[in-house]
Amino acid sequence: MTDRHLLRHLWGALLLCLASTIYAQEYPTRPITMVMPYAPGGPGDTITRVFAAAMQKHLGQQIVVDNPAGASGTIGTVKVARAKPDGYTLLMIHVSHATNLSMFKSLPYHPVDDFEPIGRATSGPMVVVARNEFPAKDLPEFVAYLRANQAKVSLAHAGVGSASHLCGLMMMSALGVKLNEIPYKGTGPALNDLMGGQVDVLCDQTSGTVPSVKAGKIKAYAAVGPSRLPSLPNVPASAEAGITGLDISISFGLYAPKGTPRPVVEKLTSALQKSVADPEVRNRLESMGISAVSTELATPQALAAHLKGEIDTLGGLLLKAGVKAN
């Protein structure tokens, strides 16, 4: 490369960097769309709206939540992957971003290659709930009833590869039962049918289930994992009943399309970090039984590492359960 070509190359790089910096300084100048690829009313939708409201205060622009639900979250995720990488279309998503690699033979995007991670937002436990008329009065009776009547019990979930599906798979494996799975397009519709008595059981995030339990619309049998939940102190942990192999929590993360300018990603990460540290946000999430992550985890590096871990571990869970890619 001649000196003239080298100078031209360096000058072009400098102009590109300068343009990116100026763009980031001005960003955002119009409303931002935050895509939640599941139906309104579910826990993901609630979490997304909490963070949209918090982050818009720090960014100075309205953040509008969009819910293009369907196909295990891929419809909304594709929308973000194909959006202009300018910081105006974002994706809030949980474990399905990792599991969809195992769920689809020909996924129209790659969860790592087509997105810029902004940061983790929440970490939340799961709880096993049932319709109010379900005959078991406590956790031991619930386990016994499932084992004795597995062919008659329906298990709702928010779609193959969703958090509630994964929790349901773990529960069936741990108890040695095979229930009748009823998939929905999101937790909201599944929870509505559970409250209406159309389905029997659901294992899902506390952000969606705890308010309904406290309102007396459904009943809780177990907090998934080793310990009870502060939001449901009278509900035993699954480990208390000697149930092993049932332990899963769900983390939501925020992404932008690949190629989004680094200064824009940094501005979004800063807004996310301020939001996870906001006492109002933390209190709102804790009232739903979930937690905002620390500011150290609300970073692109932490989210990238978390996604890789979920891709490696949860793909194996689906394979073991015999779930085949579509």
Side-chain angles (χ1 to χ4, degrees):
M1 182 181 291
T2 66
D3 290 344
R4 179 181 297 176
H5 287 154
L6 178 60
L7 183 61
R8 183 180 300 169
H9 178 75
L10 292 174
W11 180 245
L14 178 61
L15 288 176
L16 183 61
C17 181
L18 181 61
S20 178
T21 300
I22 293 173
Y23 178 83
Q25 289 174 343
E26 295 177 346
Y27 170 87
T29 59
R30 55 186 171 86
I32 297 166
T33 297
M34 188 177 288
V35 172
M36 158 44 55
Y38 286 94
D45 181 60
T46 302
I47 290 169
T48 302
R49 293 179 189 278
V50 168
F51 278 95
M55 288 180 65
Q56 68 184 13
K57 293 189 297 185
H58 303 296
L59 293 169
Q61 285 288 340
Q62 181 185 13
I63 299 180
V64 179
V65 176
D66 184 23
N67 298 84
S72 298
T74 60
I75 292 175
T77 305
V78 167
K79 182 176 182 177
V80 179
R82 295 176 179 173
K84 186 176 180 180
D86 55 9
Y88 289 98
T89 307
L90 309 175
L91 174 70
M92 182 71 84
I93 195 168
H94 61 7
V95 66
S96 64
H97 202 48
T99 58
N100 279 342
L101 268 182
S102 301
M103 298 304 309
F104 295 89
K105 292 178 181 178
S106 181
L107 198 63
Y109 62 86
H110 192 282
V112 175
D113 298 342
D114 292 332
F115 295 90
E116 300 285 355
I118 294 169
R120 291 178 64 184
T122 68
S123 179
M126 311 285 280
V127 62
V128 179
V129 294
R131 57 183 173 86
N132 271 336
E133 297 78 15
F134 201 74
K137 73 174 186 296
D138 55 25
L139 181 55
E141 280 195 11
F142 177 79
V143 172
Y145 187 90
L146 293 192
R147 287 174 172 161
N149 301 277
Q150 55 185 292
K152 299 189 298 182
V153 177
S154 56
L155 173 67
H157 61 72
V160 177
S162 66
S164 52
H165 180 228
L166 293 168
C167 188
L169 289 177
M170 281 189 176
M171 181 179 71
M172 289 191 290
S173 176
L175 299 180
V177 299
K178 178 59 178 174
L179 309 180
N180 297 309
E181 296 181 43
I182 310 295
Y184 288 83
K185 291 183 178 180
T187 303
L191 191 58
N192 285 336
D193 274 7
L194 188 74
M195 290 188 290
Q198 283 79 39
V199 288
D200 296 318
V201 178
L202 172 70
C203 181
D204 203 34
Q205 301 162 78
T206 51
S207 53
T209 54
V210 167
S212 297
V213 171
K214 289 184 174 180
K217 297 178 180 179
I218 54 176
K219 53 186 177 181
Y221 283 104
V224 172
S227 57
R228 297 192 179 201
L229 304 175
S231 56
L232 295 173
N234 296 323
V235 177
S238 57
E240 293 180 41
I243 302 172
T244 59
L246 179 57
D247 189 3
I248 183 173
S249 62
I250 299 302
S251 180
F252 277 82
L254 189 63
Y255 297 84
K258 193 71 173 181
T260 300
R262 180 54 47 189
V264 172
V265 170
E266 290 172 354
K267 184 170 283 192
L268 289 166
T269 296
S270 176
L272 178 63
Q273 289 179 321
K274 291 174 183 176
S275 297
V276 299
D278 186 334
E280 184 177 339
V281 170
R282 300 188 77 85
N283 290 338
R284 175 74 191 282
L285 294 174
E286 286 171 8
S287 72
M288 299 186 294
I290 60 177
S291 301
V293 300
S294 65
T295 54
E296 290 78 12
L297 291 179
T299 64
Q301 297 78 12
L303 180 55
H306 183 77
L307 175 62
K308 183 180 184 302
E310 288 193 323
I311 290 173
D312 293 342
T313 58
L314 297 178
L317 173 65
L318 292 167
L319 182 65
K320 181 180 178 181
V323 178
K324 296 181 180 180
N326 294 322

